[in-house]
Amino acid sequence: MREYIAKKLAIAVLVLIGVYTITFFLTFMLPGDPARVSLGQHGSEEAVELIRQQWSLDEPRYVQYVSYLQLFIQGEMGKSFRYYPRDVIELIRYRFPVTAYYGLWSIIFAVAVSIPLGVAAAYKQNSIIDNIAVLISQIGVSLPNFWLGMMLIAIVAVRLGWVNPVPEVQYGYYWTPIGFFASLKDYILPILTVGTGMLASNTRLTRSSMLEIIREDYITLARAKGLSERTVVLKHALRNALIPVVTNVGLQFLLLVGGAVLTETVFGINGIGKLYIDAINYRDYPVVIALTLIYTGGVVLINLIVDLLYAKIDPRVSLR
Amino acid sequence: MADKEILMEVKDLVTRFYTEDGVVMALEGVNFAVYKGETFALVGETGCGKSVTSLSILRLLPVSGKTLRGEVLFHDEESKRRLGIKKEGPFDILKLSSKQALRMRGFSMSLITQDPMTSLNPVYTVGDQILEVLQLHKKLSDKQAKKEALRLLEDVELTPAEDIFRKYPHQLSGGQRQRIVIVISLAAEPALIFADEPTTALDVTIQARVLELLRELKEEFNTSLVLITHNLGIVAEVSDRIGVMYAGRVVEIADKYTIFKRPLHPYTQGLIAAVPKITEKKDTLSFIAGTVPNLIRPPSGCRFHPRCPYATDICKEEIPSMEEAEPQHFVECWNVDEVIKDLEKEECE
Ligand SMILES: Nc1ncnc2c1ncn2[C@@H]1O[C@H](COP(=O)(O)OP(=O)(O)O)[C@@H](O)[C@H]1O
Ligand code: SF4
Ligand SMILES: [Mg+2]
């Protein structure tokens, strides 16, 4: 297993270098002078010149490529163009907690609802609960997330006035033990918005997986042993049914980060997604590249975790 | 066999499935009995209702299936004690509460499923899956249960038992897995075991050994066995008595030799006549003209009439009931007298 992890990490390094290369050349192909664009209309000629020099923007591409790479290898991410002289890492550290906060709750919400719902729906196929589950998953899958988000804002926040449309919470408060729960009210709309999409696909998958499993011979045999329905479903069926669900949840973590741009634009949250889209708009290349690399690292890490979980749940899977 | 004690009497069992295509009349009045300690074989073409019979009795039908009528009288004092039944005489399995049915399964009767490759849960060790039964029905401590499990593994010649105990199903061969399934079905020492095509999915070379094992264990544990199969070769080898099923009814019951030497039901006659000689390669049961009837719209009267050479008018109208045509030889056929006459003619010639 340790070998397996080591191998995966080695591959990860190669992937990161590849992704770095692609992003590097793609970003620098965007039109416009980054120093100019990121400092905006009012940037003085001196400031622009300073950035040009700092980032060797006048050097050939390959020199930039190498000097940047060296920086990353040393574990640094350089300084932002736009917020010069602030460090990229500092910007990310500042924006990350809120994205992680509503993201984690979305997943908790989705998993906590979808698995019991999917199991119940499959177990009582064609019952009311099954119809509800099917309906929810169909609606959830077909509704665009941003539309759902805007509807929620329009109805729950604006019309009913139950919550603030734009979450206002003191930075970092949500990661304190009290704040983690107390901030739920402020972030309930983005959590519901993001969570519903996940919930939908996860319910559907749990249900279909469970439907397939409860027809298996080993379930009949488990029943023939005299085991209670509870044991048959929760011990014998569920663990098998969860195997594909684990992959799906892993995938959703990734979609979450991808979807953060949209979510945070709709809800005006100052998270990673907002940082990313702003960085692209303002040609803040160091931020764009750093975030892309972190995202890639996240993909690799999540895949690794999914693999390990997989092997834990299913003894037929051997990690090699 | 008449002097033997009865274990189970199945009377007029009717089971249907309610599907989108219509109502499947899977069992239309099944009757048979099983004696203590015997191997009773249920034989018939695929789709005639053998598995549904066992699932109906075990009360394990899927939700679309319902047993509408019938009795399954079970004569077993130990089961009655466990289920808290005080009443004298046998009890009706179909009348048990679902809670009682739960305690009955595994303890009074168990099941050996057809395909060992899919019958064990892939995510638990075989040891776990054996312990489950022992702890549920025998109330053993963890330590005793494990000891008993190892003993059972040795009984079915899976050694070293300690090793096997810790293995996952996918680490074992088909034959080994089927032995595990056998161990699971025997673990609580039930009075009756249904073995549904227990060797069909196995390699021919190990089929014989598994059957042999089943027979030995049945003796050792003093249980009765209902052996479900479409393979007459297996039946000839291990059964005591045979019930022949056709389209949801048991049409003939007799001891093994009688069924093979003097079948009286026209369907059984065709079946036996079609058993391939060793030199022939032929699909065992596809001989009789016509096809197995659709059970959503089954033929009226005797369901065999469209294929039967003896069929007369009454066969199309009414289902014949089971009669003891000869001592201990039960047949469901309006024209069994004609059949017997024909046999006598043949003997004279
Ligand atoms: N779950 C089910 N739903 C609908 N029909 C079923 C179901 N299970 C069995 N049947 C029908 O019941 C009849 C008997 O099936 P079965 O007992 O499995 O036959 P076999 O003798 O081969 O074991 C068949 O016509 C089959 O199609
Ligand atoms: S009852 Fe009639 S149709 Fe049925 S087996 Fe006898 S003779 Fe044939
Ligand atoms: Mg069958």
Side-chain angles (χ1 to χ4, degrees), chain B residues 265-267 302-306 308-312 314-316 318 320 332-336 339:
Chain B
H265 194 281
Y267 173 66
C302 171
R303 286 178 171 186
F304 188 54
H305 81 249
C308 181
Y310 287 91
T312 50
I314 188 168
C315 303
K316 294 177 191 141
E318 273 179 70
E332 255 187 28
C333 174
W334 291 119
N335 298 323
V336 65
V339 176

Side-chain angles (χ1 to χ4, degrees), chain A residues 107 111 194 197-198 201-202 205 243-259 295 298-299 301-307 309-310:
Chain A
I107 290 199
V111 168
V194 177
M198 297 180 178
S201 76
N202 230 25
L205 192 66
I243 293 171
V245 177
V246 167
T247 319
N248 196 47
V249 173
L251 188 71
Q252 286 173 339
F253 261 102
L254 304 179
L255 293 179
L256 184 78
V257 183
Y295 181 59
V299 172
L301 190 70
I302 284 167
N303 278 332
L304 187 64
I305 292 173
V306 166
D307 282 353
L309 267 179
Y310 230 91

Side-chain angles (χ1 to χ4, degrees), chain A residues 112-269:
Chain A
V113 176
S114 65
I115 291 179
L117 187 61
V119 169
Y123 191 69
K124 292 243 181 282
Q125 203 188 353
N126 300 327
S127 67
I128 293 175
I129 185 124
D130 186 27
N131 290 330
I132 292 175
V134 171
L135 195 70
I136 287 181
S137 47
Q138 241 142 35
I139 292 176
V141 167
S142 47
L143 277 190
N145 254 4
F146 69 91
W147 187 83
L148 180 64
M150 291 193 295
M151 280 300 144
L152 282 175
I153 291 178
I155 296 169
V156 182
V158 177
R159 179 70 64 86
L160 300 172
W162 288 349
V163 293
N164 286 331
V166 177
E168 284 172 41
V169 170
Q170 202 191 339
Y171 167 76
Y173 172 62
Y174 28 75
W175 282 108
T176 60
I178 297 173
F180 189 69
F181 295 97
S183 309
L184 260 179
K185 182 169 177 289
D186 296 289
Y187 287 93
I188 192 75
L189 296 188
I191 290 170
L192 283 180
T193 306
V194 177
T196 303
M198 297 180 178
L199 183 139
S201 76
N202 230 25
T203 302
R204 191 150 76 169
L205 192 66
T206 308
R207 176 178 177 274
S208 65
S209 168
M210 197 72 188
L211 273 179
E212 204 174 293
I213 299 290
I214 52 182
R215 298 211 162 81
E216 291 281 344
D217 289 346
Y218 58 79
I219 297 300
T220 306
L221 193 72
R223 289 203 170 105
K225 286 174 173 178
L227 296 173
S228 67
E229 279 303 288
R230 203 189 141 85
T231 312
V232 170
V233 172
L234 296 185
K235 179 177 174 189
H236 285 272
L238 185 58
R239 185 152 162 200
N240 283 287
L242 282 186
I243 293 171
V245 177
V246 167
T247 319
N248 196 47
V249 173
L251 188 71
Q252 286 173 339
F253 261 102
L254 304 179
L255 293 179
L256 184 78
V257 183
V261 170
L262 218 55
T263 315
E264 293 176 9
T265 307
V266 171
F267 288 97
I269 296 172

Side-chain angles (χ1 to χ4, degrees), chain A residues 215, chain B residues 15-20 22-27 42-55 61-65 114 196-197 228-230 245 247-248 292-296:
Chain A
R215 298 211 162 81
Chain B
T15 294
R16 305 208 164 135
F17 290 96
Y18 298 85
T19 68
E20 280 166 18
V23 181
V24 183
M25 321 266 194
L27 302 185
L42 262 185
V43 220
E45 286 158 291
T46 301
C48 69
K50 306 181 297 289
S51 299
V52 172
T53 302
S54 67
L55 293 179
L61 289 171
V63 276
S64 62
Q114 173 167 357
D196 193 347
E197 313 264 6
I228 292 174
T229 180
H230 66 273
M245 271 193 96
V292 186
N294 169 345
L295 294 185
I296 293 180

